Amino acid sequence: MSGMTGSGLFGCLFSSGEADTGDEAWLQAMLDAEAALARSLERAGLAPRGAGNQVTAVAQADRFDLGQLGRQAALTGNPVPGLVRALSQLLPPQAAAAVHKGATSQDIMDCAAMLIAASALDAIQADLAAAASAAAQLAGAHRDTIMIGRTLLQQAVPVTFGLVAASWLAGLDEARQALARIRRERLAVQFGGAAGTLASLGDAGPRVAELLADELGLALPVLPWHTDRLRIIEVAAAAAGASAVLGKIARDVTLLAQSEVAEVREGQRSGPADGDGHEGGSSTMPHKRNPVAAVVILGCTRQVPGLLATLTAAAEQEHQRAAGAWHAEWEPFSGLLRLAGSAASWAARLLTGLEVDTGRMRANTDSAGGLPLAENVAWLLAPALGRVSAHDLIAQASARAVADGSPLRDVLLGAPDLAQRVAAAGVSGDQIDAALDPSGYLGATSHFIDRALAAHQALEACLPP
Amino acid sequence: MSGMTGSGLFGCLFSSGEADTGDEAWLQAMLDAEAALARSLERAGLAPRGAGNQVTAVAQADRFDLGQLGRQAALTGNPVPGLVRALSQLLPPQAAAAVHKGATSQDIMDCAAMLIAASALDAIQADLAAAASAAAQLAGAHRDTIMIGRTLLQQAVPVTFGLVAASWLAGLDEARQALARIRRERLAVQFGGAAGTLASLGDAGPRVAELLADELGLALPVLPWHTDRLRIIEVAAAAAGASAVLGKIARDVTLLAQSEVAEVREGQRSGPADGDGHEGGSSTMPHKRNPVAAVVILGCTRQVPGLLATLTAAAEQEHQRAAGAWHAEWEPFSGLLRLAGSAASWAARLLTGLEVDTGRMRANTDSAGGLPLAENVAWLLAPALGRVSAHDLIAQASARAVADGSPLRDVLLGAPDLAQRVAAAGVSGDQIDAALDPSGYLGATSHFIDRALAAHQALEACLPP
Amino acid sequence: MSGMTGSGLFGCLFSSGEADTGDEAWLQAMLDAEAALARSLERAGLAPRGAGNQVTAVAQADRFDLGQLGRQAALTGNPVPGLVRALSQLLPPQAAAAVHKGATSQDIMDCAAMLIAASALDAIQADLAAAASAAAQLAGAHRDTIMIGRTLLQQAVPVTFGLVAASWLAGLDEARQALARIRRERLAVQFGGAAGTLASLGDAGPRVAELLADELGLALPVLPWHTDRLRIIEVAAAAAGASAVLGKIARDVTLLAQSEVAEVREGQRSGPADGDGHEGGSSTMPHKRNPVAAVVILGCTRQVPGLLATLTAAAEQEHQRAAGAWHAEWEPFSGLLRLAGSAASWAARLLTGLEVDTGRMRANTDSAGGLPLAENVAWLLAPALGRVSAHDLIAQASARAVADGSPLRDVLLGAPDLAQRVAAAGVSGDQIDAALDPSGYLGATSHFIDRALAAHQALEACLPP
Amino acid sequence: MSGMTGSGLFGCLFSSGEADTGDEAWLQAMLDAEAALARSLERAGLAPRGAGNQVTAVAQADRFDLGQLGRQAALTGNPVPGLVRALSQLLPPQAAAAVHKGATSQDIMDCAAMLIAASALDAIQADLAAAASAAAQLAGAHRDTIMIGRTLLQQAVPVTFGLVAASWLAGLDEARQALARIRRERLAVQFGGAAGTLASLGDAGPRVAELLADELGLALPVLPWHTDRLRIIEVAAAAAGASAVLGKIARDVTLLAQSEVAEVREGQRSGPADGDGHEGGSSTMPHKRNPVAAVVILGCTRQVPGLLATLTAAAEQEHQRAAGAWHAEWEPFSGLLRLAGSAASWAARLLTGLEVDTGRMRANTDSAGGLPLAENVAWLLAPALGRVSAHDLIAQASARAVADGSPLRDVLLGAPDLAQRVAAAGVSGDQIDAALDPSGYLGATSHFIDRALAAHQALEACLPP
């Protein structure tokens, strides 16, 4: 509930993107729920003809005093009773009588939460799609761009940047699938009345619930879910999953952008006005190129796990309406969707503009002097020397290379004792060079890139644009 | 990693159920992964014929010194290198050479985690099925058992205990569906080698990965997921969702079992030995009947959200293997599954043995003197008096009833001024009594119970037993 | 960061109280930090005479365009560079040259966070003091008001409501002490320049840091703490501790206010306008008296643990400035202080207006038919019968009382076989009645109330008003 | 609750150190509490002479069947009733009658938790002291070792490694102070009986509580704290704070140890047996030197925030004993202390053995070609050229240096147009060189190191060894 998307002092950081979870969005979503209920009641014959349209016509957030509703919320613990009163006052008596009929405050708040979620998930999906598209492009373009793989932050064996981007892509696409399923299946109408029986509607309750689901574009659940909060957890967990995928990408970018690594850097945008400088630039430290987008993404994604925990804990709700646990959901639910949305928005920008320094990638790979390929050389020698001797020879050579800071090739072919054994094995210098060529030791890299791209195209074909 | 399931000082509380996530289970799962890899290599022609069976034959946890493996783990940060060495030492050289071929430690640990999860999810599902079955029975048996619905811990309007049980059932069944989907789709083999390229297997990597998935009964992912941890989050979130559903049920039971409410109580079991007393009993306070199962469930479920947050945060993993975030997963992943499993196990016991005091439910409902039905009486009077007057009359009567502590009926029919207005409306005392009968104000209660039971049967038909 | 204290749709719920952590408060705090720095530089001879006052004069939040600053924040990842530029533009060149001298963005943000914390802690303390004062009054007034103690939500043995209130008081006073210590010792100036060396100030850095601490009323730390975030955790943990204490109180109130318990209820306030009704009232369910304040407190306090986890996790900050973890602090730090403040504000109101139904407390105590005092009766009989026989006799009587639903007294004195043994022990009915009087079985209750009140008075004497 | 310290498959990773929180430690702590109670009762004249010693003599964990106690715990939800029965059976009747007198299960469990905490905090403190001592040595030894400061993972301005170590030291020492205060002030006896009144001890309750505090070496609280859990939160938050400090250090080490940075590396230990290899070594990737200790520390510390959240949330405890929230504390309380202890143990080892590559530090600093010192050069030129012109000149030169990849010096003195302006300012090449010398741009670095070392010595003087 942090004000409008993208506004305020920190809004461009933590509320970027189109996922609007601010107060105005909540108010409108509550009004949409009340209007849809009036239309449903009319369709069910429980409200006078025209009442649905009359309520819908006045159910516009800008006709209400948000501050006054907020103050009234202190009387009941939620803003719905005040809203119902204010809404009724804008209507002729017959239509007013249809307002909120059969409903309880929680019905309206929970439906509003689902509408907020629907719109936030759509916004997140759009940004994730853009990010995935950029990752796919990087995966294809850098399929053969050699870089050194790193494990525990140590250089290990070669990969390509295309594979790195394909991994990002696979994560993004998995997250998109999960969100699409939740959006489709788990956003459901809540309509149960005072205690989940819809008693005040007599026999008509289930029919009105069905119509309400139809009007709101939400699923009809098996039962009212007023104190069965699994779907809140599921929405939150799916958004948190997307956030986690984005955090991994941003972490990689901050690491690859380090001054000493310098394999990628973020594209630069200019500021909103002259004199604002460029994104990531520093006038007093001209050599710095701060990875602002990646940093902001992490600033968002690291807030998410705690909010997910809060929502999961809040699912322990008493009887037919919780005394506090339900109320504890509203802020973290909004916040989690907002932060995931902001991270997605920044990630779309980050990946679209990412600059890749292929020369630096190659140089960093070469800086280990061939040691990441040592195993490959051992296999070259194995047929002639036997597996154990070949391995021993390479282990000796590698140890010397590390000790001297020399390339493995120079040690192998330059140290007389070792060179002699290599020659005796009938292995030439060219063969050694070939074995030390990282492009020859990429295994399934290209296969994996193909798989990720194919899965991406299949997903594109089945997800709504 | 808290020792064997159900053992130790607290094991019967927090490690009940069959979800075994202890050290021995991990060791066996790692061995199963290594054995399956050997069989896969053999099937792919990369290990000598028979090597798969040879490795499988010795890959039994009880042949290994768990403590020694633990000490060696301190050298590399994980127990796999020590395990590979120990495993190889049990094998003839040719078979030994096939051990761990193409794999990295993380491949083995991640596959083991998936095997642990598979077995834990199966155990959780079995207990959830038992709990759901018990809830379904309660929902059917108490379809018409009137009780008072409670919102914000205040008596509100009538429900039936069958509807309460149906709500529990709906939550349990939703959680089961979510777990079943995860079990089926998201438990996947991890096999990428040193940096996710399977380089040391040349072109054969993808084929071996496919065979390994087959041997382990796990899905084949689009890419190795060494630093794409979404599926860890998804497993954890699904188990946390189940835990949340159980926590809600346990919370309700603790509240319904309060001395002042006393509508349910837990069944009693005897202790393991004479003189141990009965579950929930207190020799010094004979009137107490502690809801032990519900309390223990809450003792489990309340630990879960924090673990889910830890796992979600841990998904921010660097490059091709994380420096710490991956290691931070093992304990909470085990712990979360163990606790969800223990809660499920206790819940099956709780719901199966739950004792329901229908008389007390009715007495508590009646104790509000008919006020929960006030609205229903107003509607009875509305045709004759008009909606506004009817509502005013009932509001006056209710206010007096609250002030005097008298039943609404007595006020309405006993206070001359009010009785006169009721009589003038042509409404008889019998009609008032009917309107004050909670069984006439249950709305969709029975419909909802039917829906929950039908959905339950449909689920039973499609889930594995 | 959720807008101004108490405003917006949910502000009266989650942002009540005077702890202002909204955007305007942050902007002003940043300006206060910049102004204090200018004054410090002037005092150190590093800025022209008058520059401090000139900067201070224009450093007013309402002179700045918060939205524009927010948009510029997207370029650098924080709002300080834009603020420095905007502030400089309001000043003559000489004073402008002194703005931000020696500082880095983080210095200003961290100092602002400390100022926000100082003001929020003061607000929280004021509300906690009011709550504690109300609790002390309840403890004194109800020193002898018998109620039944409850363990695991089951009636156990008698306590007094004064002791319950004294426990609340002790918790509140502990929390106040912890907050006072943090406020006094741990809110410290952050001033380190680009990388914590204050290099651009030459030798003068430490002197300016000292002056800045003085100007801001903050402590001078041993070192700049840009990536040593322990004090952020400590502030958050102390506020979370206070929140936890408030959550316990609110939980007790919701339970004691249950329809079936009805020992306390919240005082009622009228709405902001005619027709708004009363707090906690329900027009359609006139018997309900919702514990709104307690519910809202729980709605606040349950959000806090997740935010504390986020802040604790965020303390893992890289090198000399974190890439994301620092940014992830701002919202949860603000949110945690805001929520603790709102909970404290609601708690002051709750405890001040709490209505206690002493008759109901006594009736609930008596409803257990003397069984909570069974042990006391056994001791009465022990001298004559021996400890074991006495205990057996009472156990038999208690079991019958539970089975029949009769008071223990009636069973003991009415069942011939038991009455005979009582009489044989030389124990009279009056003695039995005395042993069954809960006021005779309160142990250290009064002593404990005295201790809590004495500790409270000692604390009042040493804490600032 | 994860078995004995350091044992098991993962014990050397997550349960290293002396903080024993396993089942045996809990059992012994419970027995210690019961024994101390017996001695206290005897001192108060409420148990026969000698009973205290008799109970103490048999209260040895190895005399009890832990598994049997665990099974009995399922009857009551905690292991104390079974323990009391088993303990009593080892004693003569008179002494047995004194066992547990006046106490409730929670008294024993909570006292045991405090004893566990006391011993864990002592263990953590010892390891933190060793780590701090190593950090102090590094701070002193590397006071003048130039390295580049890094912000947002980008090279910024120079610092020294001594300052980095001093920052680590300051964090460690702050954490130690916090833990020492908690250890001294906040570990308190819990003794309240069935509902916090000590009713079964008549007037003697407070006296026994006082003696029990004395026997256990714990503080006497104002009131029993059975449902006032602030001290649990405070212990946990202090340990979590220490963990956070350790996580920051470990994160720095992983980053400084990156192949491309290579400024530090961990010392190597040999494995427990021949053939186990060396810590962090890799036979197939000989160039790797994995930062195992730092990785394991992060594997520990990242689990802590979630556990802290669980404990904070658990503080919302009902009435006089919580139904679940109390039980939910045991595992995370043990786990948090264990993990903080393991992290501290690994950190002591890490910092004691840390190898520093001063040459690489200097080379990395120089690799930015003087740009981090650009501002310093501008100041050199400012007296002659004016501040604005000097800044412009250097900005131009820096931009060219970045574009060409040339050192700033070469551009400034080599490009004719710029060199001319430098010469015209009367600034010599030597002066430029001096301004570009990082050792001349360290500001308060040495002062800060002094402060950290002085604070460290002061702390050493006042903390127990």
Side-chain angles (χ1 to χ4, degrees), chain A residues 148 150-157 251 254-255 257-261 283-291 295 302 364 368 371-372 374-375 391 398 402, chain D residues 148 150-157 251 254-255 257-261 283-291 295 302 364 368 371-372 374-375 391 398 402:
Chain A
I148 188 73
R150 295 172 177 96
T151 58
L152 308 181
L153 296 183
Q154 299 287 303
Q155 292 189 347
V157 298
R251 174 80 306 188
T254 60
L255 292 170
Q258 287 175 103
S259 306
E260 297 85 359
V261 178
S283 64
T284 57
M285 294 188 283
H287 54 299
K288 289 198 72 174
R289 182 84 165 266
N290 289 326
V295 163
R302 293 198 166 184
N364 286 338
L371 290 169
E375 201 179 41
H391 191 268
S398 296
V402 168
Chain D
I148 189 72
R150 294 171 179 96
T151 59
L152 309 181
L153 297 182
Q154 298 287 302
Q155 292 188 348
V157 299
R251 175 80 304 189
T254 59
L255 291 170
Q258 287 175 104
S259 307
E260 297 84 359
V261 177
S283 64
T284 57
M285 294 188 282
H287 54 300
K288 287 199 74 175
R289 183 84 165 266
N290 289 325
V295 164
R302 291 196 166 186
N364 286 338
L371 289 169
E375 201 180 44
H391 190 268
S398 296
V402 169

Side-chain angles (χ1 to χ4, degrees), chain A residues 149-304:
Chain A
R150 295 172 177 96
T151 58
L152 308 181
L153 296 183
Q154 299 287 303
Q155 292 189 347
V157 298
V159 299
T160 73
F161 182 61
L163 182 61
V164 169
S167 293
W168 296 346
L169 173 63
L172 290 166
D173 280 347
E174 276 179 282
R176 292 167 70 204
Q177 277 180 285
L179 286 172
R181 195 184 60 77
I182 292 291
R183 172 75 174 89
R184 198 172 56 237
E185 298 175 12
R186 298 297 289 158
L187 301 186
V189 75
Q190 159 59 24
F191 189 57
T197 63
L198 291 171
S200 70
L201 294 179
D203 290 340
R207 172 74 185 136
V208 176
E210 207 174 328
L211 292 166
L212 184 57
D214 178 59
E215 290 284 343
L216 292 172
L218 297 172
L220 182 70
V222 173
L223 289 196
W225 49 277
H226 39 134
T227 48
D228 168 15
R229 311 305 285 177
L230 189 51
R231 65 193 72 229
I232 294 287
I233 295 177
E234 288 180 323
V235 173
S243 165
V245 167
L246 297 168
K248 187 270 183 287
I249 296 172
R251 174 80 306 188
D252 280 358
V253 170
T254 60
L255 292 170
L256 295 173
Q258 287 175 103
S259 306
E260 297 85 359
V261 178
E263 298 182 358
V264 305
R265 56 181 188 177
E266 297 190 0
Q268 288 189 309
R269 295 169 309 123
S270 295
D274 275 0
D276 285 348
H278 290 83
E279 186 171 303
S282 165
S283 64
T284 57
M285 294 188 283
H287 54 299
K288 289 198 72 174
R289 182 84 165 266
N290 289 326
V292 172
V295 163
V296 173
I297 292 169
L298 292 167
C300 293
T301 59
R302 293 198 166 184
Q303 296 186 54
V304 165

Side-chain angles (χ1 to χ4, degrees), chain C residues 66-125:
Chain C
L66 199 141
Q68 170 70 359
L69 294 174
R71 283 185 294 281
Q72 289 170 334
L75 288 180
T76 52
N78 77 71
V80 174
L83 179 66
V84 169
R85 204 157 40 237
L87 178 59
S88 301
Q89 283 163 2
L90 295 177
L91 290 164
Q94 289 236 332
V99 167
H100 200 64
K101 190 170 175 175
T104 191
S105 293
Q106 184 167 8
D107 293 337
I108 300 306
M109 287 293 291
D110 280 352
C111 284
M114 291 292 105
L115 296 177
I116 291 277
S119 133
L121 294 185
D122 289 345
I124 295 171
Q125 286 286 50

Side-chain angles (χ1 to χ4, degrees), chain B residues 148 150-157 251 254-255 257-261 263 283-291 295 302 364 368 371-372 374-375 391 398 402, chain C residues 148 150-157 251 254-255 257-261 263 283-291 295 302 364 368 371-372 374-375 391 398 402:
Chain B
I148 190 74
R150 295 171 177 96
T151 59
L152 309 181
L153 297 182
Q154 298 286 304
Q155 293 188 347
V157 298
R251 175 81 304 189
T254 60
L255 291 170
Q258 289 175 102
S259 307
E260 297 84 359
V261 177
E263 298 183 357
S283 65
T284 56
M285 294 188 283
H287 54 300
K288 287 198 76 175
R289 181 82 166 266
N290 289 326
V295 163
R302 291 197 166 186
N364 286 338
L371 290 169
E375 201 180 42
H391 189 270
S398 297
V402 169
Chain C
I148 189 72
R150 294 172 179 96
T151 60
L152 309 181
L153 297 181
Q154 298 288 303
Q155 293 188 347
V157 298
R251 176 80 303 189
T254 59
L255 292 170
Q258 288 174 104
S259 307
E260 296 84 359
V261 178
E263 298 182 357
S283 64
T284 57
M285 294 188 282
H287 54 298
K288 287 198 74 174
R289 182 83 166 266
N290 289 325
V295 164
R302 291 196 166 186
N364 286 338
L371 289 169
E375 200 181 44
H391 191 269
S398 296
V402 169

Side-chain angles (χ1 to χ4, degrees), chain C residues 71-451:
Chain C
R71 283 185 294 281
Q72 289 170 334
L75 288 180
T76 52
N78 77 71
V80 174
L83 179 66
V84 169
R85 204 157 40 237
L87 178 59
S88 301
Q89 283 163 2
L90 295 177
L91 290 164
Q94 289 236 332
V99 167
H100 200 64
K101 190 170 175 175
T104 191
S105 293
Q106 184 167 8
D107 293 337
I108 300 306
M109 287 293 291
D110 280 352
C111 284
M114 291 292 105
L115 296 177
I116 291 277
S119 133
L121 294 185
D122 289 345
I124 295 171
Q125 286 286 50
D127 280 324
L128 290 178
S133 170
Q137 207 154 11
L138 290 168
H142 293 282
R143 170 188 295 274
D144 301 319
T145 301
I146 298 285
M147 71 184 283
I148 189 72
R150 294 172 179 96
T151 60
L152 309 181
L153 297 181
Q154 298 288 303
Q155 293 188 347
V157 298
V159 299
T160 73
F161 182 63
L163 181 61
V164 169
S167 293
W168 296 346
L169 174 63
L172 290 166
D173 280 348
E174 276 179 281
R176 293 166 70 202
Q177 277 180 287
L179 286 172
R181 196 185 58 78
I182 292 290
R183 173 74 175 90
R184 197 171 58 235
E185 297 175 13
R186 298 296 290 158
L187 300 185
V189 75
Q190 160 59 24
F191 190 56
T197 63
L198 290 172
S200 70
L201 295 179
D203 291 340
R207 172 72 184 135
V208 175
E210 205 175 331
L211 292 166
L212 183 57
D214 178 60
E215 289 285 343
L216 291 171
L218 297 172
L220 183 70
V222 172
L223 291 195
W225 49 279
H226 38 135
T227 48
D228 168 16
R229 312 304 286 177
L230 189 51
R231 69 192 69 229
I232 294 288
I233 296 176
E234 290 180 323
V235 172
S243 165
V245 167
L246 297 169
K248 187 269 184 289
I249 296 172
R251 176 80 303 189
D252 281 357
V253 169
T254 59
L255 292 170
L256 294 173
Q258 288 174 104
S259 307
E260 296 84 359
V261 178
E263 298 182 357
V264 305
R265 56 182 188 177
E266 296 191 2
Q268 289 189 308
R269 294 167 310 125
S270 295
D274 273 1
D276 285 349
H278 288 84
E279 185 171 302
S282 165
S283 64
T284 57
M285 294 188 282
H287 54 298
K288 287 198 74 174
R289 182 83 166 266
N290 289 325
V292 172
V295 164
V296 173
I297 291 169
L298 291 168
C300 293
T301 59
R302 291 196 166 186
Q303 296 186 53
V304 165
L307 299 175
L308 177 60
T310 299
L311 290 166
T312 305
E316 186 198 306
Q317 303 210 345
E318 303 99 345
H319 295 313
Q320 282 69 50
R321 179 151 322 121
W326 171 50
H327 307 73
E329 288 176 357
W330 308 334
E331 286 201 328
F333 191 69
S334 297
L336 196 158
L337 290 169
R338 171 175 58 79
L339 289 161
S342 196
S345 158
W346 278 95
R349 189 186 306 173
L350 167 64
L351 289 176
T352 307
L354 196 70
E355 299 174 9
V356 179
D357 187 336
T358 58
R360 187 68 183 249
M361 286 178 174
R362 183 64 199 224
N364 286 338
T365 305
D366 292 343
S367 71
L371 289 169
L373 284 301
E375 200 181 44
N376 208 27
V377 181
W379 289 357
L380 176 69
L381 298 166
L385 303 182
R387 191 173 165 276
V388 171
S389 295
H391 191 269
D392 278 354
L393 173 60
I394 292 304
Q396 277 184 43
S398 296
R400 286 197 214 171
V402 169
D404 305 350
S406 311
L408 179 58
R409 181 193 191 283
D410 294 359
V411 174
L412 259 186
L413 301 180
D417 57 330
L418 301 177
Q420 193 175 350
R421 288 167 67 190
V422 170
V427 167
S428 70
D430 284 357
Q431 284 175 297
I432 295 286
D433 285 341
L436 285 169
D437 179 357
S439 67
Y441 196 62
L442 290 171
T445 295
S446 209
H447 170 85
F448 284 146
I449 294 170
D450 286 341
R451 280 179 67 92

